[in-house]
Amino acid sequence: MSNSKKSFSFALAMLTALVFVLSACGGGKNSAEEGSPEAGGDSGKTVNLIWYTIGTPQKDVDKVMEEVSKYTKEKINATVTMKMVDWGDYSQKMQVNVASGEPMDILFTASGSGSFDYVQNARKGAFLELDDLLEQYGKDLKNTINPAFLEGSKVDGHNYGIPANKELPQLEAWFFNKSLLDKYNLDIEGVRSLDSLEPLLKTIKEKEPGVTPFAMDKKYIPYVPYDYIIQDLPMAVKLDTTDYKIVNILETPEMQEALKTMHKYYKAGYVAPEAATTGSIEDLKKSGNWLLFRQQTQPLADNMLSASFGYPVVSTPASDAIVTNTSVQGSIMAISANSEYPEKAMEFLNLLNTDPVLRNMIDSGIEGVHYKKVDDKHMENLDESKNYDMPSYSLGNNMLLYLNPNDPDDKWEQFKQFNASGVNSPTLSFNFDSTKVATEMAAVQNVREQFWSSLMTGTVDPEEYLPKAIQKFKEAGLDKVMAEAQAQLDTWKAENNK
């Protein structure tokens, strides 16, 4: 989609935000008439919940939702329609849906522009405030999910979504196609930095012309030890900060060196020519025609990806384990501000996050069709799982899931230990309110669309394009946005005795 269309949709969403705020504050028909047929609750009427979620649309999603609906109708008198939107299209589609009033009850959101940013859209009125609904219909959920997720996902003191109970710290990792490592006797011991990848990439480029050495999509950002104030925008605080100074990440020596390395890799043919415009690399991952990619990891992630891809995958850390707003808000299900059945939607989210039968059906499909149980705890994918391969992280409480064949029985205990090991980011729980600089934020977002992906993927030469990008961000008002963010951060720092 063109930049102009993206800008138009963003502006349209901004213009309609007031309508949603007023609707949410007014309570609407559903909130005021709890127990009526229209409101859900205990009316006795079977309602259909429309659920938008992120991920490559799966062939068998309707087939699985038929079985899910049989179960949820019996449990809470509701059926479910799931609408999947592909990775690269999701945020834009949700902006259009919100602006147009498209019927939807539940929708995926997370930190970052590619996931329909949680904090920004909560403040625009896209999501329903859930405090009262949680107390009335979500008590089981509250007793199940790690309280750090519910507390860390509050916006201005209120919950606007239900976070997935999963890994808490953000730990980046390099994932490798083990078959290629073994074939060429490539050693990943000691691989951690971006520069340390070069010998592996060079070998695969020379010996495997049909393989993409470094797989990435347009959302890729080189890792540097900073925490972003808003994900995917160039405002960040260094992880070891003592002064809490917000800097332009593009002006830091760490990012500038990383961009030079990325451009070197791009020129060498290690990165696909179309990386800056690629919405998803899920098909590439399934094909096995890649050497490495980077993403956030969790305990036993190698087993999970190996089971999903159908061939062995191994990994090594690319960062430290840090608890950030991005990790706490990395997977959230919100209830739309214009949901027809908000009470029933919360009943469903409560069930999804506490009922292993429902959670595993939504994650893995139909038993005997898409997977089989190996024992009480373990499952194994069947051939038909290729038609229902879901992103587990986006679908609720992960700690209810069956284990993969090679997972140890104590997998979820390992998760709890991993969660306890994370170090808090200095800006954890600080959420920037951009209301006072809304015009500048829109302009900064437009500049980001023009430069960000091409710089981050190495597609363009940073020697030429980085100064242009920095200047364009300044002209768009980035300095004013950063000054406002710094003032809010300073206030937050004083209030929290940092």
Side-chain angles (χ1 to χ4, degrees), residues 223-294:
Y223 175 78
V224 291
Y226 289 77
D227 193 8
Y228 291 86
I229 298 300
I230 296 179
Q231 193 68 13
D232 302 331
L233 287 182
M235 304 184 295
V237 173
K238 199 164 186 179
L239 289 175
D240 63 357
T241 187
T242 56
D243 60 7
Y244 287 72
K245 179 179 173 59
I246 297 173
V247 299
N248 181 344
I249 197 71
L250 298 178
E251 294 178 336
T252 65
E254 295 94 338
M255 181 58 83
Q256 291 184 354
E257 283 302 311
L259 295 182
K260 290 177 184 177
T261 300
M262 287 306 306
H263 186 55
K264 179 175 69 172
Y265 287 172
Y266 183 87
K267 289 194 299 180
Y270 304 156
V271 177
E274 66 278 7
T277 58
T278 297
S280 169
I281 56 170
E282 293 307 303
D283 288 344
L284 177 62
K285 291 176 183 177
K286 294 297 174 119
S287 74
N289 294 322
W290 57 277
L291 172 65
L292 66 87
F293 62 86
R294 200 200 79 223

